[in-house]
Amino acid sequence: MTIIANKCPDYKVTVVDISAERIDAWNSDKLPIFEPGLLERVLSVRGKNLFFSTEIDLGIDEADIIFVSVNTPTKMFGEGAGKAVDLQFIEQTARRIKNNSKSNKIVVEKSTLPVRAAEALATILHSGDNSVEFEILSNPEFMAEGTGVSDMENPDRILIGSRDTASGLAARDVLMDIYLHWVPKERLITTNLWSSELSKLVANAVLAQRISSINTIASLCEATEADVTEVSRAIGMDSRIGSKFLNAGPGFGGSCFRKDILNLVYLCEYYQLNEVAAFWEQVVSINDYQMERYVKRILQAMFNTLVGKKLAVFGFAFKPDTGDTRDAPAIYICKRLLEEKACLKITDPYALDNARKDLQLNEGKKEFIEDPYEAVEGVHAIALITEWSSYKKLDYQKIFEKMEKPAFIFDGRNCLDHQALYKIGFNVYPVGKPELSHL
Ligand code: UGA
């Protein structure tokens, strides 16, 4: 919405939310999320054509177009528990829109929704004796965290799904007019509603599937003398494959991949496509396996016991340039390390508050330390889980001197100079490459 307000001065954008605390933060200089470039863009339009408010009913009443961007977590109870999407927030929102609309509206699904959710939305909106007309569009979001601003300003594509009726196509054109303020026409794709909804799930499933694929090959590389970075490069130069999303790591995280794949799995099971469901579920299983493999490698390298050993954890966010830790591999990995009775000194430039909450119920010794040099004081090993660029620039000679010997480093992202670390004296364990060990 911030980018729309920046690019379309002729539109008034009002963001409403039930959380007063969150709206207050959006109205302050400390935004509730960290996203490079966002604050400047908020400041340039806030109070002009971008407003943040808790007056939801008024916001609905005033709007011609409503983007529904409420959360759609995995349902944790009853039918479909653990896989299906919990639609309660969508349904509550639909009812609120219906009850507060006095004029016709275009309702845009921005939240990631199961296929055919538009139908349910339309049914709720058109129920009862309200004479107001609602046209529903699907406009899934493909931006990634950390690069949200540039993804939004320069998107690969904008996808708009609509009904193939006169009013459906007219509504689609209204939404297209907004994006045409800055997105070239050839990057706007239009489809029917169901294709649009399904494309969102499939985009995330295919991206995650690439990561799980390369992570399986990483395990094979560790067993042989192959190097997964070399394999990724060699296959990625085939233009049919492409080079992105082939970095092996400790597993993918974030609020979307697991949730969206499980949603796809549930959908397939619903239509009794059990083999198809099993195929996609395997992408998630491999991710779980990859996180556990990272822990096992630490354990094996450190003489099969971590009891009382100190480990510095470098990075807790699910990826760099965000403070978000939702479904971060670091959560699983740290819990496992604590189970093995390791003492953790966790450092991260932006995610320590979230890390504290994520691990609050876990027993064991854990400290949260902002300065990585302080975090490595007296530790036996470093487990690098998030590839913050600042970690590449640290003085590893100085770090080595502060650590217990033998000193181990488990570079879960293959982002450090392994030969240089080895020369300093570290025992280096990358992902999908032979270890460099002095032992
Ligand atoms: C993902 C998609 O990339 C976006 O297109 C989508 O809009 C978004 O989900 C969403 O549905 O909202 P995001 O979760 O922000 O975006 O982050 P990604 O850049 O996709 O990274 C996800 C995870 O995969 C991270 O943990 C990252 O470290 C990991 N990853 C990524 C790898 O392990 N290897 C890679 O080569 C790439």
Side-chain angles (χ1 to χ4, degrees):
M1 292 305 121
T2 299
I3 304 300
I4 289 178
N6 268 266
K7 299 289 184 185
C8 309
D10 45 335
Y11 287 74
K12 179 184 170 195
V13 180
T14 306
V15 178
V16 293
D17 198 289
I18 50 173
S19 162
E21 195 190 336
R22 197 172 301 158
I23 288 297
D24 286 348
W26 281 109
N27 279 322
S28 76
D29 288 346
K30 196 168 183 313
L31 303 185
I33 55 165
F34 168 65
E35 193 64 42
L38 185 58
L39 180 62
E40 296 91 291
R41 284 160 182 82
V42 168
L43 291 177
S44 69
V45 287
R46 197 170 60 195
K48 291 183 188 149
N49 68 331
L50 176 66
F51 302 89
F52 297 95
S53 157
T54 48
E55 293 194 69
I56 301 177
D57 298 342
L58 181 67
I60 291 170
D61 183 26
E62 282 182 356
D64 300 307
I65 309 172
I66 299 173
F67 293 83
V68 177
S69 317
V70 298
N71 55 335
T72 51
T74 303
K75 196 176 169 200
M76 295 318 285
F77 51 88
E79 176 74 22
K83 280 188 189 151
V85 172
D86 185 347
L87 288 172
Q88 60 170 312
F89 306 112
I90 285 283
E91 178 164 346
Q92 286 162 15
T93 307
R95 290 185 192 284
R96 197 148 183 184
I97 292 174
K98 182 173 107 67
N99 293 337
N100 290 285
S101 293
K102 298 186 202 88
S103 58
N104 293 351
K105 314 237 178 256
I106 297 172
V107 176
V108 185
E109 297 178 343
K110 258 287 168 208
S111 311
T112 303
L113 288 172
V115 181
R116 304 201 79 96
E119 212 164 42
L121 260 181
T123 309
I124 294 169
L125 288 170
H126 287 127
S127 61
D129 53 4
N130 198 337
S131 58
V132 172
E133 288 295 325
F134 297 96
E135 193 59 50
I136 297 175
L137 300 174
S138 161
N139 175 216
E141 188 46 65
F142 295 107
M143 72 166 106
E145 284 183 39
T147 52
V149 168
S150 55
D151 290 349
M152 190 69 193
E153 289 184 340
N154 188 23
D156 285 351
R157 80 307 205 181
I158 295 290
L159 176 58
I160 303 176
S162 70
R163 292 195 305 157
D164 194 14
T165 58
S167 59
L169 298 177
R172 181 197 73 184
D173 291 346
V174 170
L175 185 55
M176 280 175 82
D177 279 344
I178 295 181
Y179 287 110
L180 283 169
H181 278 68
W182 79 97
V183 182
K185 198 171 186 342
E186 59 280 8
R187 295 210 199 148
L188 297 187
I189 318 171
T190 57
T191 64
N192 72 32
L193 276 168
W194 329 127
S195 300
S196 172
E197 289 177 337
L198 185 59
S199 300
K200 170 65 197 180
L201 294 184
V202 175
N204 275 354
V206 171
L207 287 169
Q209 180 248 319
R210 281 173 72 91
I211 302 170
S212 277
S213 296
I214 203 67
N215 282 342
T216 62
I217 301 307
S219 63
L220 188 58
C221 290
E222 283 164 32
T224 60
E225 299 240 306
D227 177 326
V228 78
T229 308
E230 292 177 354
V231 175
S232 291
R233 185 159 168 260
I235 64 167
M237 282 176 77
D238 183 327
S239 60
R240 293 169 303 173
I241 296 175
S243 61
K244 294 182 182 159
F245 270 66
L246 286 178
N247 293 325
F252 57 74
S255 65
C256 303
F257 281 179
R258 176 183 297 267
K259 167 174 84 82
D260 290 352
I261 297 170
L262 292 176
N263 183 4
L264 186 64
V265 168
Y266 183 72
L267 198 67
C268 295
E269 285 171 350
Y270 178 83
Y271 288 105
Q272 289 170 13
L273 301 166
N274 295 330
E275 287 77 3
V276 184
F279 174 81
W280 288 108
E281 196 155 22
Q282 195 60 15
V283 173
V284 174
S285 307
I286 286 292
N287 200 52
D288 294 340
Y289 166 77
Q290 185 69 2
M291 293 189 286
E292 181 59 26
R293 232 170 51 73
Y294 181 76
V295 175
K296 288 231 167 71
R297 203 160 193 224
I298 295 178
L299 199 54
Q300 277 161 14
M302 296 180 74
F303 319 111
N304 289 310
T305 175
L306 297 178
V307 180
K309 288 184 184 163
K310 292 182 191 141
L311 267 79
V313 175
F314 277 21
F316 204 90
F318 82 99
K319 64 188 272 194
D321 292 327
T322 173
D324 194 346
T325 62
R326 285 176 293 172
D327 207 25
I331 300 177
Y332 176 86
I333 292 167
C334 288
K335 283 181 180 172
R336 283 286 294 109
L337 294 172
L338 289 169
E339 269 171 27
E340 296 294 340
K341 303 202 183 304
C343 310
L344 301 185
K345 294 180 173 215
I346 300 165
T347 182
D348 188 289
Y350 280 95
L352 285 190
D353 285 346
N354 283 332
R356 248 181 230 111
K357 288 182 208 142
D358 293 331
L359 296 177
Q360 67 186 354
L361 298 178
N362 291 86
E363 284 181 15
K365 287 197 178 146
K366 51 202 187 252
E367 287 174 69
F368 301 88
I369 302 171
E370 233 149 80
D371 179 1
Y373 290 110
E374 206 185 306
V376 297
E377 206 77 60
V379 300
H380 298 77
I382 296 171
L384 189 152
I385 306 181
T386 314
E387 69 277 34
W388 286 97
S389 59
S390 56
Y391 296 155
K392 297 174 201 165
K393 297 176 203 137
L394 296 174
D395 179 346
Y396 282 92
Q397 181 66 49
K398 182 170 151 192
I399 287 176
F400 182 73
E401 281 154 22
K402 286 169 175 273
M403 288 173 63
E404 287 286 328
K405 311 292 169 332
F408 294 87
I409 189 154
F410 299 90
D411 181 2
R413 297 288 182 173
N414 290 338
C415 66
L416 302 177
D417 181 342
H418 300 149
Q419 281 299 340
L421 291 172
Y422 178 66
K423 276 195 201 124
I424 291 173
F426 283 101
N427 299 299
V428 188
Y429 291 77
V431 173
K433 299 172 193 256
E435 68 225 34
L436 298 169
S437 170
H438 299 281
L439 300 171

